[in-house]
Amino acid sequence: MAQIHVTELTFSYDGSADTVLDNVSFNIDTNWKLGLIGRNGKGKTTLLNLLLGRYEYRGDISTNTRFDYFPYQVSENDIEKTAFDLIEVWKPYVEGWQVLIQLNQMGMDPECLYRPFGTLSYGERTRVMLAVLFADKNDFLLIDEPTNHLDDEARRIVKEYLSLKKGFILVSHDRDLLDGVCDHVLVLNRTTVDVQTGNFSSWWENKEKMDAFNQAENEKHQKEIGKLKAAADRSSRWADKNEGTKIGFDPVKENDRSISTRSFIGAKTKKMQSRVKAYEKRIDREIGEKEGLLQDIERVSDLKIHPLIHHKEILVDAKDLSLGYPEKELFSGLTFQVKRGEKIVLTGENGCGKSSIIKAILDRVGYAPDTDLIVSGKLEIASGIVVSYVNQDTSFLSGSSRSFCEKRGLDVSLFFTVLRHLDFGREQFEKKMEDYSEGQKKKVLIAASLITPAHLYIWDEPLNYIDVFSRMQIEKLIKEYELSMLLVEHDSRFREAVATRVVNV
């Protein structure tokens, strides 16, 4: 057991005006199972890279701990090598038998170590890397998004495996994983850093209570400031008016006044001006106490969208549907419908054909067809349907966000407004989209989809890399609006929150 001390850590990338981490300080224990939480772009992966010593920074990171990082880099040449051969590249100081022990804990066939790495599924690659990562017990492990692209079963295996381990930092936006694995959380808030005992849900419950308290305190201070300002204004106006009567008077109207009255008025005015200054000091004190109360509140803002309403109730009708490719069949005999207002989530193992269902539907409505896909059975799409589609792939995003809007015919102002709701900083709009993080790129695609009026919204694994707060915001939006949706998504919390029906492929 050791300590990691981070003191006044400040970092920004070369050539960037943005400060990613600003004067960050915290202490953590290497015996913890620590969940690292924060908005996209807040510096979670950057912090892991700083711990690894990959960047220069200001401040201090003090520890005698040795770190290791997931995922390991896999080059094009590595794809042809076996996982057993790659152990020497990834972690040369461990032996094969140590890795086999870890694979056994995940119920994985050791045979996968001797197959070319490129032939392994996403789930198999993740589990092999985790087995190598945990093969040596002396490292403090930095685990970055281990469940992206994994199906439900693979996620369950990874969660159960990590729940038995300790001594790591886990970056994840999967609330189910964070709750099932972590005993501490490190939260990169908007302006501060929190380290707390517990998992994501216990931290979020505490945060909601604290946010509610701060909101109430803020309202109380605002009311008090309003009262003090009104009293100060009344006293100031009275003092100014009274001061003006010191010199000169009408002896007919003010026959009881003499020249000696001037000193009395002056003294009274001075007293009232002192009272005004006291009000102003109290106002400054109230404002000082109010400052910072709302700085870290995560406002899950409402978004406004305007879907189209199709005249037909059934938008997609599949009966005894079979899909496959010349070399293999994906599935057969699948029957389901997507009705107006329904949110249908497709589930199943990786490679079972969920994305192929989406491709077959898109082909019917005029998107670029997958010419190798073989479709048999019934697949009817309502005529005249308008589809808004979010792809898994973000690699095509480049250039400015304004040119992206122009190409797609999107309202630039509305597009920026939705991205601002999803916590995009204004400075991000001036960057090239290829420089965005993966989470920010996903938000671009989701924002573009949301502001596109459509009868049916088809999203293929939209939440990979999207931060927890934005996920909750998108959940709220989908539940509130009469959207018709067909989704592929492995986030179980999201699925439970939005799905009107789940179709297992």
Side-chain angles (χ1 to χ4, degrees), residues 90-339:
W90 296 338
K91 204 157 185 158
Y93 48 88
V94 303
E95 297 183 19
W97 65 267
Q98 293 173 291
V99 177
L100 289 171
I101 290 173
Q102 301 303 316
L103 285 176
N104 183 60
Q105 291 181 13
M106 287 183 272
M108 196 169 181
D109 190 339
E111 175 268 340
C112 67
L113 285 180
Y114 305 100
R115 285 161 47 198
F117 193 76
T119 65
L120 302 181
S121 68
Y122 280 120
E124 289 171 330
R125 294 181 191 186
T126 295
R127 282 176 277 171
V128 166
M129 286 187 179
L130 287 175
V132 176
L133 194 75
F134 280 96
D136 185 277
K137 296 182 179 180
N138 296 316
D139 294 346
F140 186 70
L141 306 176
L142 311 176
I143 307 172
D144 198 357
E145 293 281 11
T147 57
N148 275 346
H149 305 294
L150 298 192
D151 60 36
D152 290 1
E153 179 62 14
R155 288 179 181 230
R156 182 191 64 77
I157 293 170
V158 168
K159 182 176 76 170
E160 290 182 359
Y161 177 72
L162 291 179
S163 69
L164 301 173
K165 304 298 181 180
K166 59 184 178 181
F168 59 79
I169 295 177
L170 171 66
V171 176
S172 179
H173 303 302
D174 186 328
R175 288 157 287 178
D176 188 57
L177 180 65
L178 291 168
D179 279 350
V181 166
C182 299
D183 56 23
H184 287 75
V185 292
L186 170 62
V187 187
L188 301 178
N189 292 310
R190 293 181 180 276
T191 59
T192 63
V193 173
D194 277 343
V195 178
Q196 289 187 18
T197 302
N199 56 24
F200 172 80
S201 290
S202 62
W203 168 77
W204 182 250
E205 183 180 351
N206 290 335
K207 179 170 175 55
E208 286 188 311
K209 291 177 181 176
M210 182 58 69
D211 287 353
F213 172 78
N214 287 337
Q215 288 277 21
E217 284 293 296
N218 181 69
E219 291 172 10
K220 185 179 78 174
H221 285 300
Q222 290 283 23
K223 289 179 182 178
E224 186 63 24
I225 290 168
K227 290 178 183 177
L228 290 170
K229 284 182 176 179
D233 184 58
R234 286 195 305 271
S235 298
S236 179
R237 283 188 281 109
W238 189 95
D240 290 344
K241 181 180 179 182
N242 209 48
E243 182 70 8
T245 66
K246 278 172 40 176
I247 302 175
F249 62 94
D250 187 336
V252 176
K253 293 181 179 179
E254 302 176 85
N255 53 31
D256 59 339
R257 177 173 168 175
S258 65
I259 193 71
S260 61
T261 309
R262 180 177 176 179
S263 59
F264 170 75
I265 293 173
K268 197 170 182 181
T269 300
K270 186 176 181 181
K271 184 176 180 182
M272 192 59 67
Q273 289 171 336
S274 297
R275 186 176 296 177
V276 171
K277 289 181 180 179
Y279 281 135
E280 290 173 347
K281 286 182 180 178
R282 285 180 62 190
I283 289 169
D284 288 341
R285 188 167 63 249
E286 287 287 341
I287 291 173
E289 291 176 7
K290 173 180 165 291
E291 283 180 356
L293 285 174
L294 308 183
Q295 63 184 355
D296 285 330
I297 288 182
E298 289 292 346
R299 297 176 177 86
V300 183
S301 308
D302 294 335
L303 302 176
K304 303 297 181 185
I305 61 174
H306 304 284
L308 301 176
I309 306 299
H310 201 277
H311 64 279
K312 285 191 174 181
E313 182 185 6
I314 298 175
L315 304 181
V316 178
D317 189 7
K319 187 174 182 180
D320 292 328
L321 179 66
S322 299
L323 295 183
Y325 290 92
E327 63 276 11
K328 73 172 204 177
E329 183 181 65
L330 295 171
F331 63 81
S332 62
L334 180 66
T335 297
F336 71 94
Q337 291 180 328
V338 181
K339 296 181 180 179

Side-chain angles (χ1 to χ4, degrees), residues 362-399:
L362 294 176
D363 180 28
R364 295 286 200 275
V365 296
Y367 278 73
D370 184 343
T371 53
D372 291 331
L373 184 62
I374 300 170
V375 182
S376 60
K378 176 182 177 182
L379 180 61
E380 292 184 354
I381 314 298
S383 61
I385 195 171
V386 177
V387 169
S388 179
Y389 174 50
V390 172
N391 195 351
Q392 289 187 40
D393 181 32
T394 62
S395 61
F396 65 93
L397 291 174
S398 63

Side-chain angles (χ1 to χ4, degrees), residues 352-465:
C352 69
K354 301 183 297 297
S355 294
S356 296
I357 293 173
I358 289 176
K359 290 178 182 177
I361 294 171
L362 294 176
D363 180 28
R364 295 286 200 275
V365 296
Y367 278 73
D370 184 343
T371 53
D372 291 331
L373 184 62
I374 300 170
V375 182
S376 60
K378 176 182 177 182
L379 180 61
E380 292 184 354
I381 314 298
S383 61
I385 195 171
V386 177
V387 169
S388 179
Y389 174 50
V390 172
N391 195 351
Q392 289 187 40
D393 181 32
T394 62
S395 61
F396 65 93
L397 291 174
S398 63
S400 72
S401 49
R402 291 182 181 275
S403 64
F404 173 80
C405 289
E406 289 171 5
K407 289 176 185 175
R408 294 200 169 200
L410 302 175
D411 183 314
V412 175
S413 177
L414 182 57
F415 178 69
F416 285 175
T417 299
V418 174
L419 285 178
R420 289 287 295 146
H421 277 300
L422 292 174
D423 208 56
F424 248 65
R426 297 182 191 279
E427 68 280 357
Q428 302 298 329
F429 299 141
E430 305 305 318
K431 292 182 179 179
K432 293 180 178 179
M433 290 194 292
E434 56 263 39
D435 295 330
Y436 287 171
S437 70
E438 280 301 314
Q440 290 168 331
K441 289 178 181 178
K442 279 287 190 177
K443 288 181 180 180
V444 165
L445 298 183
I446 288 175
S449 176
L450 289 172
I451 67 172
T452 302
H455 299 113
L456 179 63
Y457 293 80
I458 298 179
W459 292 0
D460 193 359
E461 295 197 34
L463 299 185
N464 284 339
Y465 307 104

